[in-house]
Amino acid sequence: AMLGAKAGPLAGRRVLVTSGPTHEPIDPVRYLANRSSGRQGHAIAAAAAAAGAQVTLVSGPVAIPDPPGVAVVRVETARAMLAAVEAALPADLAIFAAAVGDWRPAAEQGSKIKKDGSEPQPLRLVENPDILATVARMQEGRPRLVVGFAAETDAVLDHARAKLARKGCDLLVANDVSPAGGVMGGAANTVHLLARDGAVETWPTLAKDEVGRRLVARFAQILDAG
Ligand code: CTP
Ligand code: CA
């Protein structure tokens, strides 16, 4: 083996992972955010590094430590996440586990908005770029395997099938995030893996670390097969 080269099922592969929420500023002290601990995305990045890959993790604001052996790029907003993702390409495998804010305030106020005793002003929103769809539809330099996530609260598989087609990714990892499931912020996850040919795998409830390792093992198989 080459000096310094890593062994493992993803040896020699470049992997990009997004994780965590985004924060979309309203004013200097307030933001809009999604609920996301970053645990599942970080677990995937850690598992990919342990499998020998060269991993870049683009992470929104999270309270968990950086995974070992991974290059971490920290961002706040969806637009900054897209720019960091584009800068981190090319990659063989790209996994979009971040809970990206779908909308941002149309304008960020430079000064703190003050209560003034009258009705609060409505917040005007504009749509953020879709990072996954942007990468999945790249004409040049598209990663060979593009994986999306879907967090759904009902009709999980129906929504996931539609999302897989709409986004143009190769695989979609769907999970049920209805409050009863405790996925948000919790240590366990129940996922369904959907492929473009219609195949669906439903995995047992597993620790997010174990989900990360098993997903990475599947992605390595698929890359090796193709
Ligand atoms: N995603 C993204 N950029 C966005 C929105 C979503 O990269 N602006 C990615 C997520 O990281 C995830 C996938 O797209 O991999 C699906 O995200 P989700 O929020 O479930 O899908 P949306 O298309 O935003 O649909 P909705 O929230 O309306 O269900
Ligand atoms: Ca969304």
Side-chain angles (χ1 to χ4, degrees):
M2 253 187 312
L3 200 62
K6 289 183 278 181
L10 286 178
R13 307 280 196 199
R14 290 178 59 134
V15 175
L16 169 64
V17 183
T18 70
S19 185
T22 63
H23 286 181
E24 308 295 335
I26 297 169
D27 71 14
V29 299
R30 304 181 179 96
Y31 57 81
L32 288 178
N34 280 51
R35 243 186 242 292
S36 169
S37 66
R39 291 173 81 156
Q40 188 61 79
H42 279 52
I44 292 167
Q54 183 189 324
V55 183
T56 301
L57 173 63
V58 179
S59 177
V62 295
I64 58 175
D66 290 351
V70 168
V72 181
V73 182
R74 291 180 165 278
V75 298
E76 295 259 333
T77 66
R79 286 180 296 173
M81 186 173 277
L82 175 59
V85 161
E86 285 174 334
L89 292 175
D92 302 287
L93 165 62
I95 302 148
F96 295 88
V100 181
D102 291 316
W103 306 283
R104 66 177 180 274
E108 179 184 354
Q109 303 303 314
S111 316
K112 184 180 175 187
I113 303 165
K114 300 295 289 178
K115 289 177 290 183
D116 65 2
S118 57
E119 280 276 295
Q121 288 299 307
L123 196 56
R124 211 166 69 77
L125 301 177
V126 294
E127 196 164 329
N128 271 326
D130 190 318
I131 303 164
L132 165 60
T134 301
V135 172
R137 299 192 189 290
M138 282 173 59
Q139 297 297 315
E140 266 173 59
R142 182 191 189 275
R144 269 186 46 215
L145 190 57
V146 176
V147 183
F149 269 69
E152 306 289 350
T153 57
D154 42 44
V156 175
L157 286 180
D158 290 343
H159 282 129
R161 272 191 205 94
K163 200 161 279 182
L164 174 63
R166 192 167 74 235
K167 300 280 189 173
C169 53
D170 304 302
L171 286 174
L172 194 85
V173 182
N175 52 7
D176 185 341
V177 295
S178 52
V183 170
M184 289 298 196
N189 207 357
T190 313
V191 307
H192 311 269
L193 193 59
L194 287 80
R196 285 195 81 78
D197 64 4
V200 180
E201 290 175 24
T202 297
W203 291 6
T205 300
L206 298 164
K208 286 180 179 175
D209 288 344
E210 182 62 17
V211 171
R213 284 190 288 271
R214 291 193 190 197
L215 285 173
V216 160
R218 289 289 274 120
F219 302 155
Q221 274 178 354
I222 293 168
L223 284 169
D224 286 343

